[in-house]
Amino acid sequence: MFATLSDRLADTFKNLRGKGRLSDADIDATAREIRIALLEADVALPVVKEFVGAVKERARGEEVSQALNPAQQIVKIVNEELVNILGGETRRLRYAKSGPTVIMLAGLQGAGKTTLAAKLALWLKEQGKTPMLVACDLQRPNAVKQLEVNGERVGVPVFAPEPGNGVGDPVGVARASIDEAKRKLHDVVIVDTAGRLGIDSEMMQQAADIRDAVQPDEVLFVVDAMIGQDAVVTAQAFLEGVGYDGVVLTKLDGDARGGAALSIASLTGKPVMFASAGEKMTDFDLFHPDRMASRILDMGDVMTLIEQAEKAFDQEQAAKAAAKLTGQGGEFTLDDFLEQMQQVRKLGSMSKIMGMLPGMGQFREQLENFDEREIDRIQAIIQSMTPAERANPKMIDGSRRARIAKGSGRQVSDVNSLVDRFFEARKMMMSMARGGGMPGMPGMPGMPGVGGKRGKTKAQPKKGKGAKRSGNPAKAAQQAAAEKEKAASGGNPFGAPAGEDVDYEKAAAALDLPKDFSKFLK
């Protein structure tokens, strides 16, 4: 979503590199580029003015003028100001001290409230809560059915006494849901309310009546991140008509410019609490302003990646693989390699995972064109091998490779490529696991230097070969006796024949050494 903004900011900062000192003209030019980038990203004008003003003020201060690297200091300032307009700190849910915690969802029709209600329920379930979904959207056709289906998918019960499709009293359903939650010991109640295609008094009144009936602990305004600056207008109208405690952004994985995410928290004063970035029920998490700012500036989001890996990875399997890579649990085989790839796949698409790494913005086009089916092809090749071949890939010769290619529906060249890449990957992972660093990374022990060029290393002296022994036992015994006699006579460091005396005075004179230096040679 923030691809265009990220690219524009990256180009802006690139122009500052290599400058030991920033003039007022440099700061003004940078501020102008940042302003254009934000406006193109559909960020609201008041937010842009405030943001650019704060950056310029800090850029002219001592923290940049006295910095060793002014360009990096500007990036740091922009990062901190982005965090500020995104809401500052991560805002977490407030739970009721007694009785069930009631969370009410409000927003326009089409913002994704019903799907988000199920995602939120699953997220709460993973936090150790026992949520219950309440179907109060009785206007939209099949809204109740959709919530029931989504509730079944995530394993959360749905309270839906009315069929919907224009039949039933949403306020009565909301009120009855609290008693139902207490009776069945649910500690969180999520109320899905009706939306409309536009802001009208009827919708606002119904939402306000439901709010008064259930007295929610949290009212969350659900907004589609793709609707641009109109999201801010809608958010303001809901704030005045119903009131809410936090914002939830949906469809953050879209290709819109994302100005709503950068504007809404600053203009409404309400924090963005959650973000939904995909169609899967698991594509939902807390909104972290610092991590979002880091993504916008192409610094990656390693913390989110680590958290997702901890959820998806089997700790026991990971420990076994790590032991094999350090040489403590046998050899790392193709079976282990396949298991690791399958666990990585649980994290989601490879392009999404790689996008969380720092500096991957420059490879965005390649990531977008990455064929996710490549992992299926690798799996087909590995599973076409016998257990012995997977355990010892070195035994895979030409005829075996042809058989594996035929069995997996691939070319022999694909099998060759996989086997070669496996050996390279295993070597790299073993080097990293043993603390040797990653081949090809600059500044690490035993690595090539910056730019991929290998640093000059001293040539290791070749080990001299020992004297050849004859295969004839008599000659071999004769050679051994001669070597023994030579060792007993002792060698001479000056290269003189063994057993001969050296005139050190004469040698010192020939070397033109200082007078009386000869005594040190005796």
Side-chain angles (χ1 to χ4, degrees), residues 42-275:
D42 218 9
V43 180
L45 185 59
V47 178
V48 175
K49 284 183 177 178
E50 184 183 343
F51 180 84
V52 173
V55 170
K56 283 177 74 172
E57 185 181 343
R58 290 183 62 183
R60 289 197 168 98
E62 290 184 3
E63 60 181 312
V64 171
S65 61
Q66 295 181 4
L68 292 174
N69 191 326
Q72 286 185 2
Q73 199 67 22
I74 291 287
V75 174
K76 178 175 176 286
I77 290 170
V78 171
N79 181 52
E80 290 171 357
E81 292 301 326
L82 272 176
V83 172
N84 286 338
I85 68 167
L86 286 167
E89 295 180 355
T90 303
R91 160 78 155 78
R92 299 179 185 274
L93 281 173
R94 294 185 302 240
Y95 296 104
K97 292 180 181 177
S98 62
T101 300
V102 181
I103 301 171
M104 175 180 158
L105 303 180
L108 293 179
Q109 189 172 313
K113 289 189 304 301
T114 305
T115 304
L116 188 127
K119 289 183 177 184
L120 177 59
L122 177 61
W123 183 83
L124 287 165
K125 192 178 171 185
E126 290 173 350
Q127 307 298 313
K129 303 292 181 182
T130 53
M132 181 181 80
L133 291 163
V134 182
C136 287
D137 183 357
L138 305 180
Q139 303 297 322
R140 182 168 61 87
N142 290 319
V144 175
K145 184 65 178 175
Q146 182 189 354
L147 190 64
E148 287 175 336
V149 170
N150 286 340
E152 189 178 341
R153 284 176 64 191
V154 297
V156 173
V158 179
F159 180 68
E162 299 288 353
N165 298 322
V167 178
D169 175 21
V171 179
V173 171
R175 192 179 289 113
S177 69
I178 306 302
D179 296 329
E180 178 73 5
K182 289 177 180 176
R183 192 171 65 83
K184 293 193 175 178
L185 302 177
H186 292 286
D187 53 9
V188 181
V189 176
I190 302 169
V191 182
D192 177 32
T193 64
R196 295 289 186 281
L197 295 177
I199 301 164
D200 59 37
S201 56
E202 184 187 347
M203 180 186 68
M204 290 293 185
Q205 189 57 51
Q206 187 186 98
D209 291 343
I210 293 173
R211 179 200 63 200
D212 295 338
V214 298
Q215 294 294 311
D217 298 280
E218 297 277 15
V219 179
L220 301 181
F221 174 63
V222 182
V223 61
D224 182 348
M226 297 178 69
I227 65 173
Q229 291 201 26
D230 191 50
V232 179
V233 178
T234 310
Q236 289 281 20
F238 264 89
L239 189 61
E240 293 164 9
V242 181
Y244 52 83
D245 303 295
V247 178
V248 182
L249 291 172
T250 62
K251 307 178 189 177
L252 269 179
D253 58 326
D255 56 359
R257 290 174 286 182
L262 293 170
S263 308
I264 212 160
S266 185
L267 287 180
T268 63
K270 301 296 181 182
V272 179
M273 291 176 60
F274 293 98

Side-chain angles (χ1 to χ4, degrees), residues 491-498 500-504 507-508 511 513 520-522:
N492 193 297
F494 289 96
E500 288 188 18
D501 292 330
V502 177
D503 187 345
Y504 292 105
L511 289 169
L513 295 172
F520 295 109
L521 298 174
K522 291 181 181 178

